[in-house]
Every structure is written in C-alpha cells, then in structure tokens.
Amino acid sequence: MIPAVVPCTDRALWDENVDRFQGHPQQLWGWGETKAMHGWSVDRVLVKAGEDTIGCAQLLVRKLPVPFRALVYIPRGPMCSAENTQAVLNRLAEHAALRHRGVALSIEPDWDRDSAFAGAVAAAGFRESTNTVLIPRTLILDLTRSDDELMAEMSKSTRANIRKAMRSDVEFRKVKNDSELEQVLAIYHDTAERAGFGIHEDQYYRDIFRNLGDASPIIAAFDGEQMLAFTWLSRSGSTAFELYGGVSAEGQKQRVNYGVKWAALQSMREDGCSRYDFNGLLNDGISDFKKQFAKHEDMLLGTWEKPLSPFYPAYSTAMPLARMGLQGARRLVKSAAGRAQGAAKAPLEAGGHREGKGRLTAARRAVDVDGGFGCRHERAGAT
C-alpha cells in the first residue's frame, strides 16, 4: 500500500501526533502559527497507511524568485519510526514537489547521526547539505537522571555557582504575564548589544509567547520585582529546547545565569520532559558556557536536502553565502535566479543544462537560530 499524505487542520489532533511520535517542539502547531505570521507558509500533513498514521511533518514554505519558486523546510522533523522513514520521506518529497513546486525539500531531523534513521534518509534520495539552519552539534541532557547525577557531569565551579545562586534571595520561576515578558525583551536587547548578535523585532517574541502558551515557558531570575536573567524554551511532551537567553549586568555580577539554567532544567523535568536540548554548540563564549553543564556532546543527523527541480544545482551553491542579511540575500538570490534561467535557455546540444561556475548567494543562512529566515541570534541554532 502506498502511503497517503493527508492535511491536518485540527490543532489538538496535530499536537497529539507530535507527542505520540515524541516529536520536537519546533513541530508544534503554535510554532508554525508564529512562522506563518512572519513570512512563511505552513503546511501540516499526516502520512497514513490505511487508517494508521505512520508519520507527520510541519512543512515551512518560503517563496523564492523564479525559477527556484520555493524552499520547503522541515525543522527538527519529520516524525516517524525508523522502519517507516524512507516511505514517509518519499511521500513528503512528492508532496513538496507537487503542491509547493519546491526547488528542494530540506530536513533537519531530531535524530542522532549514528541512529538507524541515517541510512533511510540517504536511501530516500536525500544528500547532506551545508545549508544549515539548526546546528547539529549540540548538548542534550537526560532529564530522567537525578539532580546528583546531572551535577556529577558538571564542572566543580559550575556546581558551586549553581548552589550559590540557589541559596541566594533570588527567586527562580516562570514568567507569568505580558508585563514580565517586556522585562525579558529589555534584557534580551541589552544582551544582544553586549554580545553583538542580531535579534528580531519585539513582536516576533510576543507572538511566540502567545501562540505557544504553556509550550514556550520562560524561566527567569527575580530580585524582588526586578528580572536579572532568563532562559526561554519551547517544549513538547518529551523535549525541551532552548530558544533564547539573556542576563542583565547586575545578573552577571551575581552569576544568576547559572541558577536560571539549573532552574530551567528542573522546571522542564517537572513538566514531564525527558530531554533538554541546549540548542547548538559553536566555538564561542555562549557555547563554552553551555558546555559547563555536561562532559559530553551530541551530534544530530544534520541538514539533508532532496533536489526537486533541475535548478537545484544553482540553488545549492547560492544558499551558504547568504549570511550578509535577508535584504542583500534576496537581491542576490534574484541574481542567481536570473543566471539559472539564462543557463536553462542556453543551447542543449552538448546534453543538459549549464551550471554557473561561481558560488551564488541567496536567503538561506540569513536566519535566526530558532529556525527561519531573518536575523542571527546567539550564534547557535534556533529560528
């Protein structure tokens, strides 16, 4: 039986399937709603074999200039069992080509590099790509472990800083309302200015807070009414995923960023999560801070793309150079599109279309780290 791709328009049913497959929070309905408000189209589909749902995926679709037409992207998905992976990916690729006329289907699954999924991805015609949005090198903690077991993996100084913060008069709790959210945004602006990374407009974060609700908790440190630091997450039934974090100058002096991270780990365990993903490791100061919380690193499968168009070669060389920002990238992807169309119109007596020799640019790596186009946050994988 050939599996069927069926649209899902029911939020409760969709999120129920995400949790049934132990899916990632970037696949939740509310995350797609936020992306739909900020430049993406969203297509949620179930892959069914008869009456059984064998997989699902929330596809984000971004229009590109002709002839590329569209990028179809699945952040931290799809969701399925290892045995059904090839069949699910084949059907999703067909759907992306027929419905969205995508130049490629790009996936960044929440699967380990050395897992049983890897062979099935290659067998479905996907190829590994450097057009990365969500960083595959990360740190994932097992929240089924006890406090003592988690702390045993930390450095001595990290344990000391956590204990000092937890003994202080600082209160660690979830952000409760819009007024406290504005304090989060103020700290995030200050943190971004100090660290030199770009952020979205404030409305983007307000939309995340509203659209995900309880699935996007913010754990913050308070000295009375004053917020000192925060860790902002998204979470599904099984996985907590760090989105953003920030600390005020006073919070830095008190080292409350250690306490707020520990409070976030405990809060997500209380909420039923079994995995805590620190969301990307690079060779920078933020990653050095993250690495103090464990002795290991994790490597996910990474970015894989399936070509869906004869213009894929031009597209694949265009994407990696788009770190200059979205507006510049858009101009340059149009230039790449023009060259690709010119190549397609060239004489074909030699057999096939011509590919450009230079590396082209486009709007792929002008991304935020939580998984979409825009600006670059915290230098490690979220959009």
Side-chain angles (χ1 to χ4, degrees):
M1 177 184 295
I2 299 175
V5 176
V6 179
C8 181
T9 58
D10 183 295
R11 178 171 186 155
L13 176 62
W14 178 258
D15 286 347
E16 177 184 315
N17 274 281
V18 172
D19 286 341
R20 182 168 73 85
F21 284 103
Q22 295 188 319
H24 195 275
Q26 305 311 81
Q27 285 289 300
L28 290 172
W29 185 283
W31 187 256
E33 284 294 282
T34 300
K35 288 302 177 185
M37 298 170 70
H38 295 273
W40 293 85
S41 298
V42 181
D43 184 16
R44 303 177 185 90
V45 296
L46 307 175
V47 182
K48 301 182 75 71
E51 295 299 315
D52 297 328
T53 299
I54 63 170
C56 55
Q58 179 167 252
L59 287 68
L60 302 182
V61 183
R62 192 68 177 252
K63 293 297 183 183
L64 297 175
V66 174
F68 301 134
R69 297 191 180 277
L71 168 66
V72 184
Y73 170 53
I74 307 178
R76 289 294 180 258
M79 296 160 284
C80 59
S81 66
E83 64 184 22
N84 289 321
T85 299
Q86 186 173 349
V88 168
L89 286 175
N90 283 337
R91 294 298 291 122
L92 290 174
E94 292 173 11
H95 177 76
L98 292 173
R99 175 165 181 175
H100 301 294
R101 304 181 73 182
V103 67
L105 174 60
S106 178
I107 64 172
E108 292 182 326
D110 193 24
W111 301 331
D112 290 338
R113 181 173 288 275
D114 58 357
S115 68
F117 292 95
V121 172
F126 285 74
R127 58 184 70 175
E128 196 162 8
S129 172
T130 58
N131 297 333
T132 299
V133 175
L134 296 169
I135 307 299
R137 178 185 167 218
T138 188
L139 172 59
I140 300 174
L141 296 186
D142 179 1
L143 295 185
T144 66
R145 305 178 78 186
S146 68
D147 286 355
D148 288 343
E149 288 172 322
L150 290 173
M151 280 204 169
E153 293 291 307
M154 302 176 190
S155 67
K156 183 178 179 180
S157 62
T158 300
R159 292 194 297 269
N161 284 327
I162 289 172
R163 288 167 178 152
K164 181 180 179 181
M166 303 312 287
R167 288 195 302 266
S168 71
D169 293 332
V170 174
E171 179 187 13
F172 297 94
R173 61 169 174 80
K174 291 180 180 178
V175 166
K176 298 177 179 178
N177 52 47
D178 290 344
S179 177
E180 291 180 348
L181 176 62
E182 295 306 307
Q183 290 194 62
V184 168
L185 297 180
I187 290 176
Y188 199 40
H189 277 278
D190 290 344
T191 302
E193 185 174 352
R194 289 197 309 269
F197 59 83
I199 62 176
H200 290 284
E201 61 182 3
D202 287 352
Q203 190 59 45
Y204 180 80
Y205 305 107
R206 296 184 186 115
D207 290 339
I208 292 174
F209 191 66
R210 182 181 67 252
N211 290 333
L212 279 123
D214 291 342
S216 189
I218 306 172
I219 315 303
F222 290 88
D223 183 1
E225 297 297 318
Q226 181 184 7
M227 187 182 297
L228 300 176
F230 73 90
T231 296
W232 193 335
L233 307 109
S234 58
R235 68 163 182 85
S236 58
S238 61
T239 298
F241 183 66
E242 287 193 359
L243 292 175
Y244 319 109
V247 59
S248 69
E250 179 60 29
Q252 281 186 313
K253 292 178 184 177
Q254 298 186 36
R255 295 184 179 272
V256 297
N257 46 334
Y258 288 90
V260 80
K261 190 77 72 178
W262 179 249
L265 292 172
Q266 292 189 314
S267 179
M268 292 302 95
R269 184 169 57 191
E270 291 170 2
D271 285 350
C273 294
S274 58
R275 301 167 73 235
Y276 186 104
D277 188 341
F278 280 72
N279 181 16
L281 295 175
L282 295 172
N283 297 316
D284 64 354
I286 294 171
S287 298
D288 289 342
F289 174 69
K290 294 177 180 180
K291 287 187 284 187
Q292 295 181 55
F293 289 83
K295 296 177 181 177
H296 72 278
E297 294 181 8
D298 296 271
M299 182 62 74
L300 299 180
L301 191 60
T303 307
W304 291 70
E305 292 179 343
K306 184 166 185 175
L308 303 176
S309 163
F311 297 105
Y312 177 79
Y315 161 86
S316 65
T317 54
M319 292 304 104
L321 301 181
R323 300 182 186 186
M324 66 193 63
L326 185 56
Q327 290 184 345
R330 281 174 171 163
R331 289 194 298 270
L332 287 162
V333 76
K334 289 179 180 179
S335 176
R339 287 195 288 271
Q341 284 184 297
K345 294 176 182 178
L348 299 179
E349 295 86 59
H353 64 282
R354 299 191 303 174
E355 298 180 15
K357 295 181 180 179
R359 291 186 66 81
L360 308 174
T361 47
R364 175 57 184 276
R365 268 299 284 188
V367 300
D368 50 49
V369 297
D370 51 24
F373 290 79
C375 53
R376 185 112 167 102
H377 299 279
E378 295 184 333
R379 307 173 213 166
T383 32

